[in-house]
Amino acid sequence: MVKNSMANVQARREKVLVVVDQAESVAVEELARQFDVSITTLRRDLKALSDMGQVKWHHGLVEKAKLPTTANHTSRSGIELLKDTIAETVPGYIVKNSTLFVNSSSLCWRAINQLATMPLTIITNNIRATECVRHPETSIILTGGEIRYPKESLVGTVAIQILETMQSDFTLIGCDGISEGGGVTTQNIFEAQVNTTMIARTKQKVICVADYRKVGVTSNYHVADLTAVDVLITDNFANEKTVRELRRHGIDVVQVVN
């Protein structure tokens, strides 16, 4: 089966970062030869990576971007900053005192911390949610179930049975892929079952969060059709064609700018 073309582009860009990270500088022509792509294609990759602050590209040479430092720590990577910006946008789509299903994605974990500004009932299969900052009137309920490592997510029959006794006003869900052809997908079959149940038990809105690497990608296991998603919060590096397709399916696609 031929891999999704956007997934191939993203995988190549990740490999470019690895090569650049291992060398002080690399010629654009050398990278094009190494990855067997045209100079035009490679320049398109470098433009995206440069816009994200991950490489410096000038005079035909590519270098690793030097992250500024503060007195206490080195600045976070471009991807981490993008995830934080996406997470910071989530509270604008949630109503205080509502009930919220949250799945075990790392992006959703970041969003729980951002939701500390309002009282909520958060029902989640992410064990690490108990470590999050939260409003003093917020309740966090773990689904129970089998613990899957390394993500420390709760899955299996027990988790699904508990979710089936509940309903949420909103569901906040991360994924490994969202595309016109595949809908919402994930790499883990056990998590797919939990995510599907959360979405099915939602009364108001399903909010999907995904950085640009997941948009236009179809992963292994189907979670939901696009018709089940009301809002997608992503970043301005997401594939433009896919964003247009998702909007045609009625999804409110919000692209944050880092």
Side-chain angles (χ1 to χ4, degrees), residues 16 26 48 50 81 85 92-93 111 135 156 176 199 206-207 252:
V16 167
V26 185
S50 177
L81 290 170
T85 306
Y93 294 85
H135 190 279
D176 291 310
I199 290 172
V206 173
I207 302 161
D252 178 11

Side-chain angles (χ1 to χ4, degrees), residues 34 75 107 110 125 137 142 146 168 180 182 206 222 234-235 254:
Q34 186 167 339
S75 294
L107 226 174
R110 293 169 189 252
N125 67 325
E137 297 176 27
L142 298 179
E146 176 189 352
S168 70
E180 184 176 43
V206 173
H222 183 262
T234 185
D235 54 72
V254 180

